[in-house]
Amino acid sequence: MSLRKCAVCGEIAIARLPNSKLFLCADHFKEYVERRVLRTIERYRMIERGNRILVAVSGGKDSATMLAILKRLRDALAVEITALHINLGIPNYSDKSEETTRRLTQKLAVPLVVVKVEDLIGMSVPQLARKAGRPVCSACGLVKRYLLNAAALEGGFDKVALGHTLNDMSAYILKTFLTQDLSSTEKLGPYTETIEGVAVSRIRPLYETSELETLLYANFSGLPFVGEKCPHASPSTLEAELKRFMAALNERYRGIEISLVRRIAKSGKATQVESAAKLCKSCGLISNADLCSYCKITATCTGEPKGSFTRRFLRDLLRLEV
Ligand code: AMP
Ligand code: ZN
Ligand code: ZN
């Protein structure tokens, strides 16, 4: 069997380009992924020169790849980047994720801020979920969304960068269609707008990059990342099923995933944060009721809403570390 050659340099190829017959060597594959991310950032005008970007890093392959690429593009984009990791207190998982994120940011020489949920509310996310009688993943998503936004606001950042991939986004979009949760489709674009003082713009630089690409990128670059999934992630959720379904569909109908997310991005609505948003009476941040869901769940489980305390804590932490 003859070895495949890189279409760019002729060296031995080790990866095939998705949706294409071209083969590339490790270096040219990495360059291809970097260029795709840069094009995504430019296409949707995600970043402006001089922006301070808070990069949310979980310890997994996707956000590791996002951080490595943003670091490589940092000077060309004229931005400043800081990584933020949230330790959720999940046994046998969170400490390993934190430690891996520390190694990653050291390797990439990117400043890192670590926030421990337990320091903020006196309990871990699984304990919070149990007390609130909610699934762990729903409490976890709620806490992460609040902390990322609050940290960006208190640290004076212009953008929060999330590592959602093309596979995540296409599955989420299908799910909102199947469940007719169409107002949520609006949050599945490549970015959300800033609402001055209450909500920081979120961007998704991997909006058009697949998980296979982030996995190969992370491996070819020797990035430290946690391989196993969170112990609470179930392979039988609708979301997980839809991911497999979309991957299979994309094999037969090449490019259908990309065109789906591009259409959602184009629909314009995708970039808006809910227009009827209110402000939380306790912490002052964006909310869809009198109390935001973070203040509500912490009030139920700890006896007091923790939003204001959390904001002060993050302000002190980010002032010290950044
Ligand atoms: P998930 O909500 O787990 O699907 O993750 C989506 C994105 O949120 C990741 O790609 C990260 O950018 C960010 N994220 C998830 N978990 C954490 C964490 N523990 N700390 C910081 N950012 C996170
Ligand atoms: Zn090559
Ligand atoms: Zn609140």
Side-chain angles (χ1 to χ4, degrees):
M1 192 187 92
S2 69
L3 287 172
R4 302 270 185 190
K5 298 234 168 89
C6 171
V8 181
C9 68
E11 292 291 315
I12 294 170
I14 52 176
R16 199 179 90 175
L17 273 191
N19 302 333
S20 147
K21 291 200 174 83
L22 290 184
F23 286 80
L24 296 175
C25 69
D27 283 348
H28 284 114
F29 185 84
K30 279 166 58 183
E31 202 177 289
Y32 153 81
V33 178
E34 286 160 8
R35 231 177 304 147
R36 173 165 284 270
V37 173
L38 178 60
R39 270 209 313 239
T40 304
I41 290 170
E42 289 173 344
R43 173 190 284 262
Y44 300 111
R45 298 195 174 84
M46 286 182 186
I47 290 173
E48 286 162 46
R49 295 178 78 77
N51 274 175
R52 296 185 65 220
I53 303 174
L54 189 63
V55 186
V57 182
S58 66
K61 65 186 189 320
D62 301 329
S63 50
T65 293
M66 166 173 71
L67 185 69
I69 295 180
L70 286 176
K71 170 71 199 301
R72 274 188 77 85
L73 298 174
R74 185 182 64 181
D75 294 343
L77 294 169
V79 294
E80 195 186 296
I81 58 173
T82 299
L84 178 78
H85 176 77
I86 302 168
N87 186 317
L88 301 153
I90 298 169
N92 303 320
Y93 183 71
S94 291
D95 287 344
K96 190 172 173 196
S97 302
E98 178 184 329
E99 190 264 323
T100 307
T101 304
R102 287 189 189 278
R103 277 194 288 128
L104 173 75
T105 51
Q106 250 162 30
K107 180 181 164 87
L108 297 173
V110 172
L112 167 70
V113 177
V114 174
V115 181
K116 247 182 143 72
V117 172
E118 210 153 344
D119 294 340
L120 299 172
I121 61 175
M123 62 181 83
S124 69
V125 164
Q127 287 168 331
L128 179 76
R130 211 171 307 125
K131 273 206 153 180
R134 290 174 70 146
V136 176
C137 300
S138 111
C140 183
L142 179 168
V143 166
K144 281 191 292 198
R145 264 192 308 279
Y146 186 86
L147 295 185
L148 288 173
N149 185 48
L153 273 170
E154 301 304 340
F157 290 89
D158 303 293
K159 306 275 152 84
V160 173
L162 299 170
H164 292 122
T165 61
L166 172 61
N167 306 63
D168 293 324
M169 299 316 296
S170 66
Y172 295 162
I173 291 165
L174 269 195
K175 185 177 166 190
T176 63
F177 179 75
L178 291 176
T179 56
Q180 282 296 291
D181 178 17
L182 297 180
S183 62
S184 291
T185 317
E186 295 176 11
K187 297 176 208 150
L188 299 178
Y191 64 92
T192 61
E193 303 278 7
T194 290
I195 304 179
E196 219 41 60
V198 291
V200 174
S201 163
R202 278 172 293 163
I203 60 172
R204 296 184 166 119
L206 304 179
Y207 198 68
E208 300 192 351
T209 300
S210 74
E211 275 174 27
L212 179 60
E213 290 166 317
T214 62
L215 178 65
L216 293 175
Y217 189 96
N219 279 324
F220 293 167
S221 307
L223 302 178
F225 67 88
V226 177
E228 59 266 38
K229 289 206 182 304
C230 170
H232 295 285
S234 155
S236 60
T237 57
L238 179 58
E239 237 161 71
E241 293 284 358
L242 288 174
K243 262 189 164 176
R244 288 193 288 273
F245 169 73
M246 272 315 283
L249 202 66
N250 203 53
E251 281 291 309
R252 287 189 55 199
Y253 301 89
R254 294 268 170 214
I256 196 164
E257 253 183 318
I258 286 257
S259 60
L260 172 65
V261 299
R262 285 194 180 152
R263 286 207 178 105
I264 290 294
K266 240 192 190 155
S267 72
K269 276 188 184 167
T271 60
Q272 300 300 317
V273 180
E274 301 120 291
S275 46
K278 303 186 199 174
L279 299 184
C280 171
K281 286 213 164 100
S282 180
C283 73
L285 295 190
I286 193 157
S287 171
N288 51 19
D290 281 352
L291 274 191
C292 73
S293 29
Y294 182 80
C295 284
K296 212 181 297 167
I297 196 171
T298 50
T300 308
C301 301
T302 74
E304 56 169 332
K306 294 284 191 187
S308 296
F309 169 77
T310 296
R311 292 187 65 181
R312 278 197 306 278
F313 186 101
L314 292 172
R315 198 175 313 154
D316 293 342
L317 181 70
L318 285 147
R319 283 223 186 112
L320 282 179
E321 301 216 13
V322 180

